[in-house]
Amino acid sequence: MSRYENWTREQLLERIAALESSSTNVPSKRSINGKPRKEQRPFDMSKYSQRHIALKVAYLGWNYMGFAAQGNEEAVPTVEGRLFQALQSCRLIVDPDQCQFSRCGRTDKGVSGLGQVVSLRVRSNLPQKSEEIPYIETINRLLPDDIRVLAWAPVSDTFNSRFDCRSRTYKYFFPRGKLDLDLMRQGASYFVGEHDFRNFCKLDPSKNITNYKRTVLSLDIRPVAPPALGASDSTGFFEVELKGTAFLWHQVRCIMSILFLVGQKLERPEIIQDLLDVSKIESRPDYPMASELPLLLYDCEFDGLDWKYAGNGAAVSTATPVRIYQHWQDLWADHMTRTLLCQTFMASMWGYPVESGSKTLASHLETHQDDPPSIVLGGGKEVRSSRYKKLLDRPRCDSDEVKKEKYRAKKKQKTNADNSTPSSSSTTPTPTTNNDNPIDEK
């Protein structure tokens, strides 16, 4: 049931109707409310004006398998897939593959976005009518509760959300716990500037990346929320704000993983300098990535975009921004209520007896704070281990070149297998079948 618990009533009704239709294998001539269904005419986009626009999209990512659509929204729900569904439902586009679509960032499963920017060619009212289509309101009415379009902007036909982006800013939220923030800040300072980040990312040989140098413009650690009511100071929340021109696959989560090790005093801050020196460490030590849950694509920076926060762009209407704000406020109140319930449970346990009743839970936690810690991964995830092995003593992952060699060998083997003729003892030749499926690059 967890798969459907966040669906809206309309989504659930549509799903039920689809299941009933498929089970009977008879096309339904009635809509969900029982009224006769009107036959829809094929939509002809060529009869309408079109324009290239950018959309600023916000989304809570924990219900999705990433931002980018993967072709099967039923099995692999994505933010982009839901956005395409809304755009097609209101006839702003016909085919996602034919609308010059581009995205600024390809966030992973569970990662959220506030400043995600996409660009595409959509239907327009201009110049036939004096007012443009209210893009924000039109799209938001068809989106699920955890996705909203915040603004739109007219852009040139050559605009590309990915390649025209000047910088991207991520935020990562974490509770202080027992982390030494001064050590984390010292380690964070080593990331600033241009470095080779191949030891802070996941290597994908199918992409044939030849340059792993990226520029980090800033990396700050600051408080964002005070300690929970009735709880210890360790429940105060902090954020890492990381700004760069571009990022590699899983780069931010790898950075956070190492910063957590430094904050726990399991690694010295200078380990970051060592890992950035690929002449010294040419392949990544085997360490887990930080959790995806606290990661947010906070902002994407562009030159000259005139963002419009109301539908038709003619004037800034207060209705649309207020409505979107109230929508997020409702979600915040729901989640904050759940948080306060958990905080109340935590606070109520401080006086509980432990160790055969000789101590309270509060005193037990205080006296055992120097016990060998679990490895913090963020988002409430930890790896429990009684003995910690230093990064440089761990097994190394394959280097970039080794991964590429293995990938090329696997691809060649696959090609040879597809082109080979099956052997047969029969006097009648067995016809060969050409395999036109693309090679699986995962």
Side-chain angles (χ1 to χ4, degrees):
M1 290 295 294
S2 60
R3 177 183 176 187
Y4 302 105
E5 63 183 5
N6 293 318
W7 285 32
T8 64
R9 180 175 180 274
E10 289 74 18
Q11 289 174 319
L12 289 170
L13 290 173
E14 289 177 1
R15 176 60 177 154
I16 292 170
L19 290 172
E20 290 178 345
S21 176
S22 61
S23 64
T24 60
N25 202 28
V26 176
S28 174
K29 294 183 179 181
R30 292 186 175 272
S31 60
I32 294 173
N33 59 16
K35 295 181 180 180
R37 187 187 299 273
K38 295 181 179 179
E39 293 291 334
Q40 291 188 347
R41 299 179 181 177
F43 186 76
D44 187 358
M45 183 66 83
S46 65
K47 295 181 179 180
Y48 299 87
S49 299
Q50 297 180 55
R51 70 185 305 180
H52 205 190
I53 67 170
L55 298 174
K56 183 178 291 188
V57 185
Y59 52 93
L60 299 170
W62 49 72
N63 291 324
Y64 299 99
M65 302 297 289
F67 182 80
Q70 300 181 42
N72 185 353
E73 284 299 308
E74 189 66 27
V76 189
T78 64
V79 178
E80 198 173 271
R82 297 297 189 260
L83 183 61
F84 285 150
Q85 289 175 355
L87 290 164
Q88 289 175 293
S89 295
C90 60
R91 306 299 193 187
L92 288 179
I93 67 170
V94 174
D95 184 350
D97 294 328
Q98 303 296 324
C99 64
Q100 296 178 244
F101 183 85
S102 66
R103 70 182 76 87
C104 184
R106 187 186 178 102
T107 54
D108 297 322
K109 172 186 174 182
V111 177
S112 299
L114 177 61
Q116 174 72 274
V117 174
V118 301
S119 57
L120 70 166
R121 193 164 183 82
V122 297
R123 178 168 58 88
S124 171
N125 275 345
L126 304 179
Q128 289 84 356
K129 298 182 180 180
S130 59
E131 289 191 351
E132 185 54 283
I133 296 172
Y135 290 120
I136 302 174
E137 298 86 342
T138 300
I139 301 171
N140 282 345
R141 279 195 294 268
L142 298 167
L143 287 172
D145 287 343
D146 48 10
I147 306 174
R148 281 295 178 270
V149 172
L150 304 180
W152 72 278
V155 295
S156 69
D157 288 340
T158 59
F159 179 85
N160 185 289
S161 297
R162 177 185 176 188
F163 298 113
D164 289 338
C165 182
R166 289 187 56 204
S167 70
R168 297 160 176 86
T169 301
Y170 285 88
K171 287 178 179 281
Y172 195 98
F173 303 97
F174 64 94
R176 177 167 186 170
K178 301 174 184 177
L179 296 170
D180 188 318
L181 298 177
D182 289 334
L183 288 178
M184 291 180 69
R185 290 187 176 102
Q186 180 183 344
S189 67
Y190 300 137
F191 286 116
V192 178
E194 183 184 72
H195 303 284
D196 189 312
F197 282 94
R198 72 183 64 201
N199 290 329
F200 291 91
C201 72
K202 185 173 181 179
L203 302 179
D204 184 354
S206 67
K207 296 181 180 179
N208 197 30
I209 296 176
T210 58
N211 181 15
Y212 290 93
K213 288 187 177 181
R214 297 294 186 271
T215 300
V216 171
L217 301 173
S218 62
L219 201 166
D220 300 312
I221 302 175
R222 60 174 74 96
V224 290
L229 182 64
S232 66
D233 290 342
S234 64
T235 59
F237 260 78
F238 284 72
E239 68 175 12
V240 167
E241 183 177 283
L242 175 61
K243 182 178 181 179
T245 54
F247 291 89
L248 298 163
W249 192 15
H250 294 328
Q251 181 180 338
V252 178
R253 292 170 62 188
C254 288
I255 286 175
M256 287 306 308
S257 179
I258 302 303
L259 284 179
F260 284 147
L261 293 178
V262 171
Q264 290 184 279
K265 301 180 181 179
L266 297 173
E267 298 286 347
R268 55 194 176 83
E270 290 76 18
I271 188 64
I272 293 171
Q273 291 178 309
D274 294 337
L275 292 171
L276 291 172
D277 185 354
V278 294
S279 64
K280 181 177 182 180
I281 304 175
E282 66 173 9
S283 60
R284 183 170 76 90
D286 186 16
Y287 63 83
M289 290 189 300
S291 169
E292 73 281 356
L293 179 63
L295 183 57
L296 171 70
L297 176 56
Y298 179 68
D299 186 40
C300 298
E301 183 182 10
F302 295 86
D303 284 332
L305 289 193
D306 180 20
W307 289 112
K308 302 181 185 300
Y309 299 94
N312 57 28
V316 177
S317 168
T318 59
T320 300
V322 169
R323 188 181 301 116
I324 295 174
Y325 176 84
Q326 290 175 340
H327 173 80
W328 294 127
Q329 187 178 46
D330 290 342
L331 289 180
W332 168 83
D334 176 79
H335 290 287
M336 194 64 188
T337 301
R338 300 170 194 266
T339 298
L340 288 172
L341 287 170
C342 292
Q343 287 183 12
T344 303
F345 293 170
M346 291 163 56
S348 70
M349 294 184 64
W350 282 112
Y352 278 30
V354 295
E355 298 183 10
S356 301
S358 61
K359 290 183 178 181
T360 64
L361 177 64
S363 59
H364 171 83
L365 293 176
E366 183 178 355
T367 56
H368 288 75
Q369 63 181 349
D370 295 328
D371 287 356
S374 301
I375 309 303
V376 174
L377 296 179
K381 295 181 179 180
E382 295 182 348
V383 176
R384 302 187 181 279
S385 176
S386 58
R387 296 183 61 184
Y388 176 77
K389 180 178 286 189
K390 293 288 188 179
L391 285 174
L392 299 187
D393 295 332
R394 298 187 190 185
R396 304 290 175 86
C397 301
D398 287 340
S399 67
D400 178 53
E401 187 53 41
V402 169
K403 279 183 174 288
K404 288 176 179 176
E405 288 178 0
K406 287 183 176 180
Y407 172 74
R408 287 191 290 265
K410 182 179 179 180
K411 188 174 180 179
K412 183 178 180 180
Q413 184 180 18
K414 175 70 173 177
T415 302
N416 291 338
D418 292 342
N419 293 333
S420 63
T421 302
S423 60
S424 175
S425 58
S426 172
T427 56
T428 303
T430 302
T432 60
T433 302
N434 291 328
N435 186 352
D436 294 327
N437 293 328
I439 296 172
D440 184 2
E441 296 182 349
K442 296 298 181 185

